[in-house]
Amino acid sequence: MAGASRGVGRGLARALGEAGATVIVTARSSETGPRTEMRPEAIEDTARMVDAAGGSGHHYLCDHRSERATDALVHWALRRFGRIDVAACAVWGGNEGYDGTRYPDGAGWGTPFWRRSAEPFLGLMQAGPLPALLLARAVAPAMVAARSGLIALVSFGTQDGYLGDVFYDAAKAATNRLALGFARELAPHGVTALGLSPGSVATERARDLGREDLATESPLYAGRALAALAADPAVAARAGQILHAGDLARVYGFTDADGTRPERFRVGP
């Protein structure tokens, strides 16, 4: 579970734990090492949550922006466990340094692109699409050999319209397009790739910025969506699609942590 020290990735790991899965929790933040932005959450915390939920949690410190580090993680996982059934990438460092008003370059959300430096754009591509690509290419050979497996990229649906910021919109669209491309190339080998779009999530960062009340769902909602997809023997029919947690809840019958079933989140006009 890439990018699972907090946020949506933590929710995915917990939900797979609920399903009794063995979950490898990976990210850059560890109790015994560096932490992104000095935040308190760490991969060990999430691994313990997986255990508490009924699964078996294992942690592995990994910078998913590095091809070498990602390859090393996958090699370790295959040596330790023999196979990888589900690989999910929830890595997203695009909000690092955002204080609720402005990014480190001084620009606010939705600042016209011609009034911004182009440099942060590269950072956002490295914060989401690149880790998704690196993880998929690392796990694909083993899945192709086994002729089974699910690769899920956590992104944000762009089909309903523009997301309000050129850099953010482009990064999410790129991740969605990777899901489509992976699906086309992996389908003949029995492997399914797809995208998973949460709504407005009550993450730790949203809480710290005082925006938790604007959220529509908890991180566990997308996690239960992933668990349902992983358990679906007909999941290959969804290959290449960008699936919304709210839509999947109605298909598979799961609820959020509080027992509610939030509707699919849609961006405004």
Side-chain angles (χ1 to χ4, degrees):
M1 187 61 53
S5 59
R6 57 179 177 270
V8 174
R10 173 171 283 186
L12 269 58
R14 287 181 61 191
L16 290 176
E18 287 180 344
T22 296
V23 183
I24 303 171
V25 177
T26 71
R28 290 178 288 154
S29 296
S30 169
E31 292 176 348
T32 59
R35 298 179 186 234
T36 56
E37 299 181 286
M38 300 302 293
R39 292 195 57 87
E41 306 88 9
I43 51 177
E44 293 87 351
D45 298 328
T46 305
R48 286 189 285 268
M49 290 178 182
V50 172
D51 291 337
S56 177
H58 303 263
H59 59 272
Y60 188 102
L61 188 63
C62 181
D63 184 345
H64 284 277
R65 301 167 300 181
S66 164
E67 182 173 352
R68 182 175 181 178
T70 304
D71 286 350
L73 158 67
V74 172
H75 292 157
W76 172 83
L78 290 171
R79 287 195 305 270
R80 177 77 182 271
F81 300 102
R83 71 180 198 273
I84 298 173
D85 299 314
V86 178
C89 185
V91 177
W92 176 247
N95 290 333
E96 291 179 12
Y98 183 63
D99 63 4
T101 303
R102 298 192 177 279
Y103 289 97
D105 68 344
W109 171 266
T111 297
F113 69 90
W114 63 92
R115 295 178 181 170
R116 295 188 69 180
S117 165
E119 187 173 351
F121 177 74
L122 179 59
L124 261 66
M125 299 303 284
Q126 293 175 328
L130 178 62
L133 173 63
L134 296 181
L135 181 65
R137 68 166 296 281
V139 300
M143 289 185 173
V144 167
R147 297 198 62 80
S148 68
L150 173 64
I151 297 174
L153 308 184
V154 176
S155 182
F156 199 94
T158 53
Q159 60 267 56
D160 291 336
Y162 177 54
L163 300 183
D165 183 278
V166 165
F167 293 177
Y168 180 85
D169 185 274
K172 297 305 181 182
T175 302
N176 296 343
R177 198 66 181 176
L178 285 173
L180 174 63
F182 295 164
R184 293 291 178 86
E185 297 193 3
L186 288 169
H189 304 283
V191 181
T192 301
L194 48 77
L196 179 59
S197 179
S200 178
V201 183
T203 63
E204 297 88 352
R205 184 183 294 275
R207 177 199 62 208
D208 293 347
L209 293 177
R211 297 188 174 189
E212 193 172 18
D213 59 332
L214 300 177
T216 60
E217 63 201 55
S218 81
L220 196 61
Y221 202 42
R224 288 175 173 170
L226 177 62
L229 290 166
D232 185 353
V235 69
R238 301 183 183 277
Q241 299 177 33
I242 308 304
L243 304 168
H244 295 257
D247 293 341
L248 293 172
R250 279 147 186 80
V251 173
Y252 292 111
F254 62 84
T255 64
D256 203 348
D258 61 359
T260 63
R261 191 170 285 147
E263 297 285 341
R264 169 180 172 176
F265 183 82
R266 298 180 184 275
V267 297

